[in-house]
Amino acid sequence: MKPLKKEQIQQEVFDLYDDYAHNKLQRREFLEKLSLYAVGGITVASLMSFLMPNYKDTLLVPKNDPQLDSKTISYNSPNGGGKIKGLLSKPKEFEGKLGGIVVVHENRGLNPYIEDTARRAALSGFITLAPDALSPLGGYPGNDDEGREMQRKRNRNEMLEDFIAAYNYLKNHKDCSGNIGVVGFCFGGWISNMMAVKVKDLAAAVPFYGGQPTEEIENINAPLMLQFAGLDERVNAGWPAYEKALKEHNKEYVAYTYPDVNHGFHNTSTPRYDKEAAELAWERTIDFFKKHLQ
């Protein structure tokens, strides 16, 4: 059977996957609902294969890229999970000190896509740290289904402390200028918004399709760039109230909504990926960080 193409898949299938990926459907229920769309020669197995992440063929920056110094480090998160591991990346050749970026994963731990994203940011002239909030449980297990189950066992406010501790690690790194931003995706988008609330000296925040804070918005000092997917009704529902609060408190922000793309459109590893929107959103993100961190 020929591989499925994105154009063959109904939007309802992507919506089902979104519910499954965000723990609203158990695997058995997901498969049962998915079977309704297994018609015309399309099988449930082929749909599942199409929807699941493909990390092998979709990374944009090699793990051993010769332009980068990338390594796994550990740092202390006393108010969170204790000892946290993360991928630290920086250009091998640079002058002076680098702006720092904390790169925050989705709701499944530090998978290859987020590591790849951290390396991409480093290639643009930053020192990046991509923590793994699953470190206290043994770390990302190698597949996203198990990663989601593991992450559900952790308290999200304690995980927020883990990423705030990553900010502090970069703040004290000898190669970092002290100007530090955060970018995050899905769960990481919520973390990015919350770090803007909690970290007084955060220099910039770019949440991708992240949940929004409802309190202490007056505490935000960092300029925000908010990235939304046009088809992402779940996350977008909270944006009007958040925007109203940002305006009321005279906060600096810019928001972009990319039409006709799904939640997760930046993630290269799944068919929700939209190359045009993802590249534009990433270009805007890097330009934003260059403006505020360099």
Side-chain angles (χ1 to χ4, degrees), residues 173-191:
H173 195 282
K174 64 180 179 63
D175 295 323
C176 183
S177 67
N179 297 323
I180 299 163
V182 59
V183 61
F185 306 85
C186 186
F187 164 79
W190 176 80
I191 291 286

Side-chain angles (χ1 to χ4, degrees), residues 22 104-108 133 151 156 159-160 163 184-192 208-211 263:
H22 295 92
V104 189
H105 59 68
E106 304 147 308
N107 65 335
R108 59 211 71 171
Q151 191 157 320
R156 73 173 187 167
M159 287 189 282
L160 172 59
F163 292 99
F185 306 85
C186 186
F187 164 79
W190 176 80
I191 291 286
S192 300
F208 274 72
Y209 28 84
H263 181 100

Side-chain angles (χ1 to χ4, degrees), residues 267-284:
N267 188 331
T268 54
S269 72
T270 81
R272 297 177 300 171
Y273 175 62
D274 186 281
K275 187 176 188 292
E276 182 178 356
E279 290 183 351
L280 176 57
W282 190 246
E283 179 182 356
R284 286 169 167 168

